Amino acid sequence: MTHSINYGRRQFLQYSAFGAAAAMFPELLLANPKSARSSPTPGFKPDVEIEFSAREVFVPILNNGSKTKVQKYFAKLLKGPENTVQSFEDNYLGPTLSFAKGQKVRIYFDNNLFEHSIMHWHGLHVPQKSDGHPMYSIEPGERFVYEYEVLNNAGTSFYHSHAHNLTGTQVYFGLAGLLKVTDEEEKKLGLPTGEYDLPLVIQDKQFNRNGQLQYVRGMHDRMMGFLGDTILVNGKPNAEFAVKSRAYRFRALNGSTSRIYKLGWDDGTPLTAIGTDVSLLEKPETKPYVMLAPGDRIDLWLDFSGRPVGSKLAMYSLPFSGTMPPMFERMQRMRGGGQGGRGMMGGMGMMSGGLGQGEKFPIAIFHVTEKVGDSPKLPVQLVRRQRLTEKDVDNADNPLPIAISERHMRPLVNGRPFSLDEVMEIEKVKVGSIKKIKIFHPHEEHEMASQTSGHDMEGMDHGGMGGRGGGMGMRDEMGGGMMGGMMMAMAHPIHLHGQQFQVLSRKEGHVDREDYETVRHGFVDSGLKDTVLVMPGEEVEIIKPFQDFKGLYLYHCHNLEHEDLGMMRNFYVH
Ligand SMILES: [Cu+2]
């Protein structure tokens, strides 16, 4: 028993003691949420107006003549600068949007799917009604109108489906696209633009023999997360970029539902990050590799200056371990791994694909095809940010909890499953405040169950797993649904809607030292973020402002299978 475990448990009991029974907020449930926004606000004068629709189409993804059924966002620019919408033919990815800070944006979303849907602006700080909360999911044939001012600084965000219970499915089948924000501060830096500013949207898919997408096949896939065996970059397999001998900005987005990437060059050359999630960094950071969890973005400065024409560099997802339960990782190794490989476990239908979490595989090849004389220089200083400290928060000694636990094979946050409009005391936040939030894993669940039964914390009735390695035997993995504790032994990318946060501290959990060493140097925690990867047992403290807007803002696991299982809650900003 380590100090950190005791600490986590004590904290959790403390929270549950003052946590009142979950309360419903009828005033939040609008008389009819679906009609919340079906027409534009007369007083809102947009600089940019875009008509979005989502529908099923067939596009060529694999280079074998087949076409794959996908769900795709289409966009038509009604008003605004011409470069606002960049669409892709023959691709399932939604158009890349380019917004400028200060622009007022109105978006019409027409749902032409055969199921409900709603769009979420991941990373943007927007009013609650325009955030794409699943309570606003609209039915086929319906329209939703978003209106917001771009408050964000320059950075890389994205947009994707946040449909109630269908987020993972719809994102997997294609409903996502990149969103860039520019501002004056960024323009002065002379960073690469135009053809030298490229997306690197990374996703893993599973295709059947007919070239059709396959998604989760059962509870195991949902719990452990879906892993496809085909890696797509910008919607295509076997990605290769023809580049000139100069510097580029690549905006890497992990658009996978569950796969974590560890980006690095095959030859050991370090990587330089200039931005994370929603914002540029204060200074470039050079890392041996960078970790990219589902929902994360990292802006990379890739400099091919001095590389001879004809040279090729391979970017890989490098091997790592410790993000999955040890038994799961052992089975992956037993299976033999390798892209497309299917061993014992694959044959038993235990794994979603032939490519395990943390295995090494290529992401993209960069082929230097042209020599050019000049290249922009990497700025020493990027942007100036006022870093928030514990002095800025009003709850330094009493952080808001985000506790990761599970019950009956369902992952939970703060002990409760998702509910569209339910808020606990600990989830109420005064608008304008700046809060410290602690993301952690409570332990000794059975004890907590006895002490919190009848209160608002569920999910503590899986006895004695103690997380990673503690009594997790073959029986848990293999024996008919006895997978209790597995969620606690997994890494979870925790995403908070609304305003961006900064990471204050990480306290290592119970991941083996050797395993943690395979990921440790890849966290870029210095920038403003909206998603943070929390390793098993790890305690991550963040500082998040809740300014400008009232209403319900989600916080959830961005492992989208977990999200759809209900690993999501609301903060009520009031
Ligand atoms: Cu999760």
Side-chain angles (χ1 to χ4, degrees):
M1 180 84 35
T2 69
H3 174 69
S4 69
I5 287 175
N6 271 322
Y7 180 70
R9 178 175 160 267
R10 199 165 56 234
Q11 289 287 310
F12 196 69
L13 289 172
Q14 178 193 327
Y15 295 128
S16 57
F18 83 71
M24 301 286 280
F25 286 80
E27 73 271 22
L28 295 173
L29 249 198
L30 309 168
N32 178 1
K34 284 174 192 165
S35 66
R37 262 297 164 70
S38 54
S39 54
T41 311
F44 185 88
K45 300 272 176 280
D47 307 298
V48 169
E49 217 169 0
I50 308 170
E51 200 169 64
F52 258 89
S53 69
R55 61 177 194 268
E56 276 187 19
V57 286
F58 284 84
V59 297
I61 298 177
L62 304 171
N63 300 316
N64 61 5
S66 68
K67 286 198 169 189
T68 304
K69 186 159 88 171
V70 297
Q71 296 177 327
K72 179 172 176 173
Y73 285 128
F74 293 85
K76 191 169 117 191
L77 184 67
L78 303 178
K79 184 183 178 189
E82 218 172 296
N83 69 351
T84 304
V85 173
Q86 187 200 353
S87 298
F88 305 104
E89 297 282 316
D90 286 346
N91 200 310
Y92 60 85
L93 283 176
T96 295
L97 303 181
S98 296
F99 290 162
K101 184 177 180 177
Q103 276 178 336
K104 286 191 172 158
V105 177
R106 176 182 287 150
I107 285 161
Y108 302 92
F109 171 53
D110 292 318
N111 179 6
N112 296 327
L113 301 165
F114 300 106
E115 57 196 18
H116 69 262
S117 194
I118 195 73
M119 294 173 80
H120 164 57
W121 312 95
H122 182 129
L124 293 191
H125 177 40
V126 299
Q128 190 238 318
K129 278 185 188 169
S130 288
D131 188 50
H133 193 286
M135 78 163 103
Y136 297 129
S137 284
I138 54 168
E139 296 301 321
E142 290 185 326
R143 163 172 277 202
F144 194 90
V145 183
Y146 301 85
E147 289 168 344
Y148 53 82
E149 182 181 335
V150 179
L151 298 177
N152 285 59
N153 294 315
T156 305
S157 289
F158 72 124
Y159 59 92
H160 61 79
S161 162
H162 220 303
H164 187 43
N165 292 335
L166 287 176
T167 298
T169 311
Q170 293 189 354
V171 170
Y172 180 75
F173 280 91
L175 293 184
L178 206 67
L179 194 167
K180 307 177 188 178
V181 175
T182 59
D183 64 10
E184 292 307 314
E185 196 181 16
E186 181 190 55
K187 279 179 194 157
K188 288 186 196 136
L189 294 172
L191 299 175
T193 56
E195 64 176 301
Y196 309 113
D197 174 0
L198 295 172
L200 195 74
V201 179
I202 312 169
Q203 294 175 302
D204 58 335
K205 308 282 183 196
Q206 185 83 27
F207 293 89
N208 69 14
R209 253 176 285 165
N210 303 320
Q212 298 309 307
L213 288 170
Q214 290 188 303
Y215 189 45
V216 292
R217 295 187 296 199
M219 201 53 188
H220 184 275
D221 282 354
R222 287 182 205 284
M223 288 182 61
M224 294 294 105
F226 175 85
L227 296 170
D229 65 3
T230 305
I231 302 300
L232 305 182
V233 171
N234 299 337
K236 302 287 179 190
N238 309 314
E240 188 163 334
F241 294 91
V243 294
K244 296 176 184 172
S245 60
R246 55 160 284 156
Y248 283 73
R249 176 180 187 174
F250 272 90
R251 297 173 192 250
L253 157 67
N254 183 343
S256 289
T257 62
S258 147
R259 186 178 291 281
I260 300 164
Y261 302 97
K262 175 182 174 178
L263 301 182
W265 294 114
D266 195 29
D267 66 0
T269 303
L271 276 176
T272 300
I274 58 170
T276 50
D277 287 2
V278 286
S279 176
L280 288 166
L281 299 174
E282 290 177 89
K283 290 183 168 66
E285 278 188 43
T286 298
K287 298 262 180 190
Y289 54 84
V290 294
M291 299 304 296
L292 198 64
D296 262 344
R297 289 86 67 207
I298 292 196
D299 280 24
L300 296 170
W301 176 276
L302 303 186
D303 195 349
F304 305 101
S305 301
R307 298 271 182 185
V309 170
S311 55
K312 286 189 175 183
L313 287 90
M315 185 179 287
Y316 269 74
S317 186
L318 300 170
F320 62 88
S321 48
T323 65
M324 300 294 278
M327 176 54 70
F328 185 93
E329 292 191 337
R330 271 199 294 280
M331 286 198 308
Q332 274 190 182
R333 282 195 291 276
M334 270 161 62
R335 191 169 43 89
Q339 191 153 4
R342 267 168 193 278
M344 180 186 83
M345 301 320 296
M348 288 169 67
M350 288 293 287
M351 313 294 264
S352 34
L355 191 59
Q357 185 76 287
E359 285 184 30
K360 182 182 177 183
F361 52 84
I363 300 275
I365 307 290
F366 296 80
H367 189 186
V368 183
T369 55
E370 196 182 326
K371 189 175 166 57
V372 290
D374 61 330
S375 171
K377 294 277 165 294
L378 179 64
V380 178
Q381 172 85 35
L382 293 164
V383 292
R384 294 188 189 279
R385 293 271 175 272
Q386 191 209 338
R387 281 198 75 76
L388 298 168
T389 68
E390 289 206 298
K391 289 192 188 109
D392 299 300
V393 306
D394 60 15
N395 65 334
D397 299 326
N398 188 26
L400 297 177
I402 297 183
I404 297 169
S405 68
E406 66 181 274
R407 177 182 187 157
H408 301 321
M409 293 165 62
R410 279 177 189 263
L412 301 170
V413 275
N414 284 332
R416 292 192 67 81
F418 181 59
S419 154
L420 283 172
D421 62 338
E422 177 201 274
V423 188
M424 292 184 281
E425 263 321 298
I426 53 170
E427 295 170 321
K428 291 189 205 168
V429 184
K430 277 262 181 277
V431 68
S433 61
I434 301 173
K435 296 291 182 191
K436 183 156 102 174
I437 300 176
K438 185 165 77 179
I439 311 168
F440 66 106
H441 302 66
H443 293 276
E444 298 178 26
E445 300 87 338
H446 61 297
E447 273 183 49
M448 248 173 289
S450 62
Q451 296 189 42
T452 59
S453 63
H455 295 279
D456 59 349
M457 297 289 177
E458 296 178 27
M460 304 303 146
D461 62 350
H462 271 306
M465 294 310 298
R468 210 176 156 78
M472 210 174 317
M474 197 69 171
R475 186 165 144 74
D476 292 303
E477 176 64 24
M478 307 288 286
M482 290 210 34
M483 294 198 275
M486 299 291 272
M487 299 288 179
M488 306 284 280
M490 282 183 75
H492 298 275
I494 301 298
H495 170 52
L496 287 82
H497 287 218
Q499 213 163 349
Q500 48 273 19
F501 59 79
Q502 72 189 35
V503 176
L504 187 64
S505 67
R506 275 180 192 272
K507 237 180 258 159
E508 228 172 290
H510 40 66
V511 173
D512 288 349
R513 209 157 184 86
E514 252 173 66
D515 289 332
Y516 202 88
E517 282 305 315
T518 67
V519 300
R520 179 193 300 281
H521 306 288
F523 298 123
V524 187
D525 284 342
S526 57
L528 292 178
K529 292 182 65 64
D530 54 56
T531 309
V532 62
L533 184 66
V534 180
M535 293 291 285
E538 197 169 35
E539 180 186 302
V540 178
E541 287 185 323
I542 63 174
I543 296 183
K544 179 177 160 72
F546 291 84
Q547 290 159 339
D548 305 311
F549 306 120
K550 294 181 177 180
L552 292 178
Y553 285 90
L554 297 164
Y555 62 100
H556 62 87
C557 184
H558 218 279
N559 176 319
L560 297 183
E561 287 80 44
H562 290 180
E563 178 188 328
D564 284 340
L565 279 177
M567 193 174 180
M568 175 154 71
R569 295 287 304 173
N570 290 297
F571 279 119
Y572 175 41
V573 186
H574 63 106

